[in-house]
Amino acid sequence: MAGTELEVELKCSICMSIFTDPVTLTCGHTFCLDCITKTWKNQEKGESSCPECRHRFKTKPDLKRNMRMCSLANSFRVSVHVQTGIFCAYCIQSNVPATKFCLHCEASLCVDHVLAHNKSEEHVLADATTPWVNKKCQLHNKLVKYYCAEDAVCICVSCKKSGQHKGHQVLTLHEASEKRKETFQNVLKRLTTKRKGTKKNIQHLQTRRKELQEKSTGETVRVAEMFRYIRRKVDDLEKQVLSEITQGGERVLLQVSNRIQQLENEKNELTREIHHIEELCNLTDPFTVLQEQILNSVDYCDSENGGNEDNFSEDYEVLAEDYLDKGLISVMLHKGLNDIMTDVKVDGMLYAQQPSDLSLDINTAGYNVAVSGDLKMASWLDINYQPPRSQDSFAYCQVISTRGFCSGCYYWVVETAESGGWKVGMSYPSIPRRRSDQSLIGMNDKSWCLSCSHKKQYSVIHNSVETSLSHKSLCTQFVIFLDYKTGRLSFYELCDPIRHLHTFTATFTEPLYAAIWLFDAWVRIGQ
């Protein structure tokens, strides 16, 4: 075995030094006796586990010295330390290589003398191979024995008593090292909690991905079965709809897969950071501990989502209950099938139905609104026109339908004038009727609408919140799609291709009626 490989085999994974008094656990891993004893002391009461493989022992195993590993470690030390010329100060008869250096005694110690050395806190042990220059004060050329907490530097006794650190909060190296280890332990706990939350999030996303895959497959099969009842002339339409379903599923699955990969990378980074800090917490060399920085880990743990297992809202925003755009699919079917649409209702496979009895309620028409004889069109009259009034009439130029929807999926076509302004949408029957801003469609929590201004600029309005859309009007026909159960109200431009404009999501609590507001324009509902 090469020297480097042998050194790796002879290193304790806790202190990262060559074994001192090595013992082997029943799981097969070997550690320094002092390292494993301290590790188990820091673990929870009644728990004893291997720091390397995490195997838990029901009862704490007896620690027996591994003589073969001890012999190999001693031989390796001799081969290494003879070259450095650092020998034990107490082995007078012969030059025995030193493995540790006592900062209090200012003496190098071999393996045997380390075991017999004073174990009090003031006798701080460091690696014998650490350069002396790192252990000496550059101002007074004395060994450093203290740590200035205010300036975060190691100092000697002269610095403490009469130097620039006089009067500062000063700790022994052992005390400072233990405090730093406490900080590492706190960071370790937060990183472990963060990793646990990340792992749980990955599991949730994997489960959701499977559900999305099954749903995408199921919807594809249903649509394929429906198209088996349609003539050859709709083959191209079948491919178009199936493609939309598949692409919708693939888009969501891609987002979920990308998020899972991101979280996997984050988990791996957390694992590497945890291992690194675990190694620091088990080091016996205070210089290595004090010189190590963990600012990145602390910042990472103190981030907005650090350590919160239940903070999954960012991941689930993309995972709507029904990710398929049923409105778009239904509109595509309507445009392609036209008259034969009603013949395709096999086992209720249609995504939505077009209500044949949707008409306007003339009793709700407000000022300057004229309703056609077939109750399908509302027109704005540029005269002081006042329709017959009733207790249901609006004080403004708007009108709602005679029929409301409290379940199912429906869509209908709306045709508008090329000029003027209008709003189309849906409203609860309890919308205010008297003259006030709260009675206008979209200006309350009882109505939702798509609005088009005289400048052909789209916006959507609900509860007095208006959101402008990025593109201008391109056509005069629109589709309104309602899925009452899932709380989705969508608007589409009936152009080629059909374009989605906006979708409201809400929990509907009353029946929804088609609603129209207009000024210097007309709007027709129906096919």
Side-chain angles (χ1 to χ4, degrees), residues 2 51 67 72 77 80 119 123 131 137 149 202 206 316 328 343 355 430 432 484:
M67 301 304 297
L72 288 173
R77 286 193 189 89
V80 172
K119 296 297 191 299
H123 289 266
C137 173
I202 290 174
Q206 288 174 335
Y316 293 126
L328 178 60
D343 298 330
S430 60
Y484 192 94

Side-chain angles (χ1 to χ4, degrees), residues 53-64:
C53 68
R54 306 300 178 188
H55 175 75
R56 293 186 177 183
F57 304 101
K58 295 182 179 179
T59 58
K60 185 178 295 185
D62 295 333
L63 300 177
K64 297 181 179 180

Side-chain angles (χ1 to χ4, degrees), residues 36-37 40-41 43 46-48 57-63:
I36 191 63
T37 301
W40 283 351
K41 186 181 298 184
Q43 289 180 348
E47 179 182 348
S48 299
F57 304 101
K58 295 182 179 179
T59 58
K60 185 178 295 185
D62 295 333
L63 300 177

Side-chain angles (χ1 to χ4, degrees), residues 340-398:
I340 67 171
M341 192 71 169
T342 55
D343 298 330
V344 189
K345 298 178 181 178
V346 181
D347 294 331
M349 280 191 256
L350 281 182
Y351 286 93
Q353 300 180 29
Q354 184 179 16
S356 58
D357 57 346
L358 189 63
S359 57
L360 300 177
D361 186 353
I362 194 171
N363 292 323
T364 65
Y367 291 103
N368 294 84
V369 176
V371 178
S372 62
D374 61 0
L375 305 180
K376 296 292 185 180
M377 185 171 74
S379 303
W380 186 84
L381 300 180
D382 191 13
I383 57 176
N384 189 18
Y385 172 74
Q386 183 175 346
R389 302 293 296 169
S390 71
Q391 62 180 2
D392 296 327
S393 299
F394 285 101
Y396 288 104
C397 45
Q398 57 191 37

Side-chain angles (χ1 to χ4, degrees), residues 143 160 233-234 372 507:
L143 286 175
K160 174 187 176 184
K233 63 181 181 180
V234 297
S372 62
T507 301

